[in-house]
Amino acid sequence: MEHEFQRIMVIVVHKGVDLDAFGSALGLSSVFGAKVFLPEPKNRNVAELVKGVEEYLTSEVDETVIFCDTDSVGNWKAEYIFDHHGTVFGANSSAVTLWLNQCGYLMRIPDNIRCLLLSGIYEDTGFLRYDSTKPLDLESVKLLRQLHSNLVGMDVHISPPLSEAHFSAIYKIIERQEQIGILGNTISLSYVYEKETNGEISSIVQLLQATQEIDAYVLLVGGKNRVLGICRARENVPLWDLLASLNPVGHRYAFIFRSRGNVEALFSTLPELIREEVLKYTLVSDITLSKVTLIEPLPVASALQFCRQYGLSVVCLRSDHTFFYITRQDLERLNRLGYGERDVLSFSEPFPCFKQDEDLSTAYPFLKRRMPLLVEKEDGFYIATTDDLIRQGVLQFYENPSEVLKVGEQVYNQIGPLLSKLTEKGVKVYLVGGAIRDYLLGKEPDDIDLSFEGDVEAVYNVLCSMGISCQLIPKTFSVKGVLNGTKLEFTRARKDYYEKPGILSEVATSDIIEDLERRDFTINAIALQLNPGVSMLDPFQGLSDLKRRTIKLIKRWSILEDPSRAFRAINYKNKLNFTLAPELEEELRNVNVKGRPAPRVLMEFRDLMRSSQVFQNIKDIVRFDLMRFFGESFLFDDILEQGLSLLEKRALQENMDVRTLSEYAMALIGLGFRNMDERKRFFKQLGSSNRFNKLAEELLQRLR
């Protein structure tokens, strides 16, 4: 056979390679003119079959590598990556078979290799018996059988004699089974480690598929509890297909899902992985709902009184055939901030109403945005709040996208032993705030911000016991420390109360959801649970906004509560090169500020002036008229705009240090106050009226 690829390449497959990977690698090698490298230990079955295909094998790797299995990626340098697994194939060899046929290569492959491809498909589908078998598997088998005249002895490839390892693994599976509940359904689940199969994974998979006492089983690899595969014996437990629908990184047989700690922690995450599929078979009316009365729009204070009178946690409104809701907690905060006479509709969120015969999978995307479930029945409207749905096991916010799991791995590499100790003390730890955001953006954060649920003294004691220099700060429920040069800050999950706009809030302990809800922007309201399992918590779709590079408020009115968030939005916009959501831009232009600016506003303003994006920050401050926070006479005219350009050129020419540049920038923007009393007060608030007046006069001289 003449090869169309001139360079000699090597295909590397994983340790304990099975027939599926072996056949796929050989099929590709015959096309590329490549050699196959099989790391030790080999699967017993494959070790026997190697004798007939030695011409395709190599004992060393010193050429360009094509990977045939993603488990090998970490060990070799690859110019190309060929993954023999496919997301729509029950058997992985089917993907290679159909690809080879499409390219016109299948007929040119030797009989013995086509036999191995067929064996790989049979191996993964139990001779096409398993529910994971797909139509494309059948098509692949048909193609191979048409080209292969002698199928005698095929069963020897895929049904080797049972060994002691088989029996030992099955006994362990039966001993370890436990029950998990999902929306009223009970599933028997068990597990086995790859190392306990003695390399006989393929045949043990077939045995487990036929083990009717257990509904589903998990294959685990290594000490990190990474899932190698999830299958089920009972037909109505479609774990295999459900996990495939999550689009895991890598191949569909070795799902890239990591759970640190003990195996029980892994089990606790499984219901979240399969819940969404179960919801397709659950009607919204199957959930426990409460009768609700829809009211017409009214003032905030009246809505709050309505909540208190009837003991409600949510007010539901109807206006022009559209439904809105607002929580009692938000009403309390708005009323405390002095907005009791404002129309509650201006602070409320629109939400859909579902019919009683719709399934929960339709409502689930809305429920995950922390919206209540509103259902219209024949006798009226019914509701279940977010907390109701969490208590019923219908709703959760944990997910496992691959990029988040990679972040978990990075954090464990830095503070893994510390997290293990905290797990032993019953402390749940979450990576939060700027740290998780920076990791997801591919940056290494300077500090690691961690939120936790548990006892703050337990955190402090664990850090001390590990010899980590740390400080306990009872007022903020936090512990600060340094580990291997990395700054750590553990802060108890908390909720806050603002008595007046912009002042420091009063805090109280809470759960992680309330902790995220109190934050400013969705991109800062993502948490990564680090123990006992790695899962993302994203109740406000911050990850989507991060991917869209958009800054969005969690609450539309949160700038009213803390005006410093207006300046923080500008900071994030220019520091991260993001865009502002339209509703955030509207809030920046419309938010009313009365009285003197709060200390937090001044702090955020100074940060903008000390930033490397100071010139763009000033342009945005002017564009959104944020200097109205400091006075009413501000006007940034053409002369000051010219001054900004001159300052930018001067800073570049003189290589001006950050402090000097920030002082000139603040002096320049202070010149925008036409009222001299407001200008003087502004410079005084910044710390030195005389210093800034001198700088302002210098700038005026240059502009003249």
Side-chain angles (χ1 to χ4, degrees):
M1 185 188 309
E2 294 184 4
H3 304 299
E4 298 177 16
F5 301 88
Q6 299 302 313
R7 287 179 297 173
I8 299 298
M9 303 180 185
V10 178
I11 296 173
V12 181
V13 294
H14 60 81
K15 293 180 180 179
V17 58
D18 56 5
L19 288 173
D20 180 30
F22 188 47
S24 300
L26 290 173
L28 293 173
S29 70
S30 65
V31 172
F32 292 138
K35 297 289 186 179
V36 177
F37 177 76
L38 304 177
E40 297 290 348
K42 299 181 182 71
N43 174 288
R44 181 180 55 168
N45 219 14
V46 170
E48 290 295 319
L49 295 171
V50 160
K51 298 172 184 176
V53 290
E54 290 177 343
E55 61 182 293
Y56 294 100
L57 306 181
T58 181
S59 59
E60 57 185 20
V61 180
D62 55 8
E63 304 289 348
T64 302
V65 171
I66 302 174
F67 291 113
C68 199
D69 193 288
T70 55
D71 273 356
S72 309
V73 172
N75 303 322
W76 316 93
K77 284 191 174 182
E79 183 169 328
Y80 303 97
I81 296 178
F82 266 82
D83 192 346
H84 71 285
H85 300 84
T87 58
V88 294
F89 305 94
N92 308 317
S93 299
S94 297
V96 172
T97 299
L98 292 176
W99 180 79
L100 291 172
N101 185 62
Q102 184 179 7
C103 298
Y105 297 136
L106 191 62
M107 294 185 65
R108 297 156 57 185
I109 291 176
D111 265 4
N112 59 340
I113 295 180
R114 283 199 295 262
C115 181
L116 283 169
L117 281 170
L118 188 59
S119 299
I121 299 172
Y122 281 155
E123 175 191 65
D124 268 10
T125 64
F127 287 91
L128 308 179
R129 289 195 302 263
Y130 302 153
D131 291 333
S132 58
T133 304
K134 298 290 192 301
L136 292 176
D137 293 323
L138 302 175
E139 182 181 340
S140 301
V141 167
K142 183 178 179 181
L143 282 170
L144 290 167
R145 288 178 68 93
Q146 287 173 345
L147 295 171
H148 205 291
S149 56
N150 182 16
L151 297 177
V152 177
M154 181 73 72
D155 58 330
V156 176
H157 290 181
I158 33 189
S159 298
L162 294 180
S163 67
E164 184 177 345
H166 291 99
F167 292 111
S168 176
I170 293 297
Y171 286 143
K172 285 183 170 64
I173 283 274
I174 294 174
E175 289 171 358
R176 292 168 176 165
Q177 64 181 306
E178 65 176 71
Q179 309 296 314
I180 63 171
I182 306 169
L183 291 180
N185 298 324
T186 300
I187 295 175
S188 175
L189 186 69
S190 192
Y191 66 94
V192 65
Y193 284 100
E194 179 194 27
K195 62 186 178 182
E196 294 173 335
T197 67
N198 198 28
E200 304 294 333
I201 294 179
S202 303
S203 49
I204 287 176
V205 164
Q206 294 187 46
L207 286 170
L208 292 174
Q209 292 277 21
T211 304
Q212 298 299 313
E213 291 84 357
I214 301 169
D215 299 326
Y217 67 87
V218 182
L219 287 173
L220 301 170
V221 61
K224 300 177 181 178
N225 288 358
R226 186 165 65 77
V227 175
L228 179 65
I230 295 185
C231 303
R232 75 277 172 272
R234 185 152 60 92
E235 292 184 4
N236 61 349
V237 184
L239 292 176
W240 184 290
D241 299 326
L242 294 176
L243 287 181
S245 71
L246 297 175
N247 295 319
V249 170
H251 43 70
R252 72 181 306 275
Y253 187 65
F255 296 101
I256 307 302
F257 171 77
R258 289 175 170 82
S259 177
R260 296 282 185 157
N262 56 25
V263 177
E264 286 71 21
L266 171 68
F267 286 149
S268 69
T269 65
L270 287 176
E272 288 119 32
L273 293 178
I274 65 178
R275 183 184 309 278
E276 193 161 338
E277 185 71 14
V278 176
L279 293 175
K280 292 180 181 178
Y281 308 103
T282 307
L283 298 180
V284 293
S285 55
D286 293 337
I287 304 303
T288 301
L289 302 164
S290 303
K291 192 77 178 282
V292 66
T293 300
L294 296 170
I295 61 175
E296 298 301 318
L298 70 173
V300 167
S302 300
L304 178 57
Q305 184 179 358
F306 188 85
C307 276
R308 290 171 175 170
Q309 182 178 352
Y310 295 100
L312 303 177
S313 59
V314 173
V315 168
C316 295
L317 309 101
R318 177 161 52 183
S319 177
D320 296 329
H321 307 291
T322 303
F323 303 99
F324 298 85
Y325 78 96
I326 186 168
T327 67
R328 177 174 175 172
Q329 179 183 354
D330 287 346
L331 289 171
E332 296 272 11
R333 298 173 82 144
L334 288 166
N335 191 58
R336 189 166 53 247
L337 292 170
Y339 301 108
E341 300 306 314
R342 292 273 296 272
D343 184 354
V344 71
L345 209 57
S346 62
F347 301 110
S348 301
E349 297 286 340
F351 71 135
C353 181
F354 296 91
K355 302 294 183 182
Q356 61 181 352
D357 57 352
E358 289 187 73
D359 63 61
L360 268 176
S361 62
T362 307
Y364 200 61
F366 299 96
L367 302 181
K368 286 188 65 178
R369 291 160 55 187
R370 286 187 62 77
M371 291 183 177
L373 176 62
L374 183 65
V375 180
E376 184 178 7
K377 295 187 178 184
E378 294 178 357
D379 60 340
F381 293 91
Y382 289 77
I383 190 174
T385 67
T386 303
D387 290 340
D388 293 334
L389 296 170
I390 291 174
R391 280 193 294 269
Q392 293 180 53
V394 175
L395 184 62
Q396 47 75 46
F397 297 105
Y398 288 94
E399 302 176 21
N400 290 287
S402 57
E403 61 264 52
V404 172
L405 299 177
K406 291 176 183 176
V407 173
E409 288 293 302
Q410 288 179 268
V411 177
Y412 261 90
N413 289 336
Q414 292 178 278
I415 59 171
L418 173 57
L419 291 170
S420 298
K421 291 283 187 182
L422 291 170
T423 302
E424 294 174 5
K425 298 297 182 181
V427 177
K428 279 190 176 181
V429 181
Y430 305 85
L431 184 70
V432 293
I436 178 68
R437 186 191 66 234
D438 288 349
Y439 273 122
L440 292 172
L441 291 173
K443 303 175 182 178
E444 189 79 23
D446 297 328
D447 307 329
I448 297 183
D449 298 320
L450 301 151
S451 184
F452 67 92
E453 294 174 337
D455 183 11
V456 65
E457 291 189 0
V459 176
Y460 177 72
N461 291 336
V462 166
L463 267 65
C464 290
S465 69
M466 296 183 68
I468 300 172
S469 176
C470 59
Q471 177 186 8
L472 175 63
I473 308 172
K475 184 177 179 180
T476 56
F477 310 107
S478 59
V479 180
K480 294 183 178 181
V482 180
L483 175 61
N484 298 327
T486 301
K487 294 180 181 179
L488 307 174
E489 181 167 358
F490 289 85
T491 303
R492 180 66 170 82
R494 62 195 190 189
K495 52 188 175 182
D496 50 25
Y497 301 96
Y498 288 85
E499 290 296 336
K500 293 181 180 179
I503 68 171
L504 290 174
S505 59
E506 297 293 327
V507 298
T509 59
S510 70
D511 59 28
I512 188 64
I513 290 287
E514 287 183 308
D515 184 277
L516 296 178
E517 190 172 16
R518 73 179 176 84
R519 296 170 185 264
D520 45 16
F521 309 112
T522 59
I523 61 171
N524 291 334
I526 305 169
L528 185 67
Q529 179 178 318
L530 295 172
N531 67 340
V534 177
S535 293
M536 183 184 73
L537 184 58
D538 183 23
F540 306 105
Q541 290 72 59
L543 188 59
S544 297
D545 291 331
L546 201 62
K547 291 176 180 177
R548 289 194 292 262
R549 305 184 73 81
T550 300
I551 301 168
K552 186 185 297 183
L553 290 168
I554 294 175
K555 302 284 187 182
R556 287 191 309 173
W557 45 267
S558 65
I559 292 180
L560 297 174
E561 186 174 59
D562 183 358
S564 68
R565 289 169 174 165
F567 293 89
R568 202 174 307 139
I570 300 301
N571 195 357
Y572 286 132
K573 169 187 175 292
N574 297 322
K575 181 173 70 173
L576 301 175
N577 194 25
F578 278 27
T579 58
L580 303 179
E583 59 271 21
L584 174 53
E585 289 194 353
E586 183 181 354
E587 289 297 315
L588 292 182
R589 291 189 175 96
N590 297 334
V591 63
N592 292 318
V593 182
K594 297 179 181 179
R596 297 176 60 186
R600 289 169 64 89
V601 172
L602 285 169
M603 180 183 69
E604 293 294 339
F605 176 80
R606 287 195 185 95
D607 284 347
L608 289 179
M609 295 300 101
R610 293 166 182 160
S611 165
S612 56
Q613 294 82 31
V614 59
F615 297 106
Q616 184 58 51
N617 290 342
I618 290 176
K619 292 173 184 177
D620 284 330
I621 287 172
V622 172
R623 178 161 70 103
F624 293 108
D625 190 25
L626 296 184
M627 291 306 293
R628 69 186 187 276
F629 283 43
F630 302 95
E632 298 178 356
S633 68
F634 183 82
L635 177 64
F636 201 80
D637 56 19
D638 292 342
I639 295 177
L640 290 182
E641 191 168 335
Q642 179 186 353
L644 185 64
S645 298
L646 291 174
L647 179 59
E648 189 169 2
K649 291 177 183 178
R650 181 182 170 190
L652 185 62
Q653 291 170 353
E654 299 179 8
N655 194 23
M656 201 176 290
D657 63 84
V658 173
R659 179 177 178 180
T660 303
L661 176 57
S662 67
E663 288 182 341
Y664 273 114
M666 288 187 282
L668 177 69
I669 204 167
L671 287 172
F673 289 106
R674 297 302 188 255
N675 183 299
M676 296 305 294
D677 288 336
E678 286 187 342
R679 183 187 300 179
K680 183 177 180 181
R681 184 171 65 244
F682 174 67
F683 285 154
K684 185 176 181 180
Q685 289 169 344
L686 294 178
S688 176
S689 180
N690 292 334
R691 168 70 173 159
F692 285 112
N693 274 319
K694 289 180 181 178
L695 292 175
E697 186 61 33
E698 178 188 336
L699 290 171
L700 281 174
Q701 291 295 330
R702 289 176 177 268
L703 289 173
R704 291 171 185 154

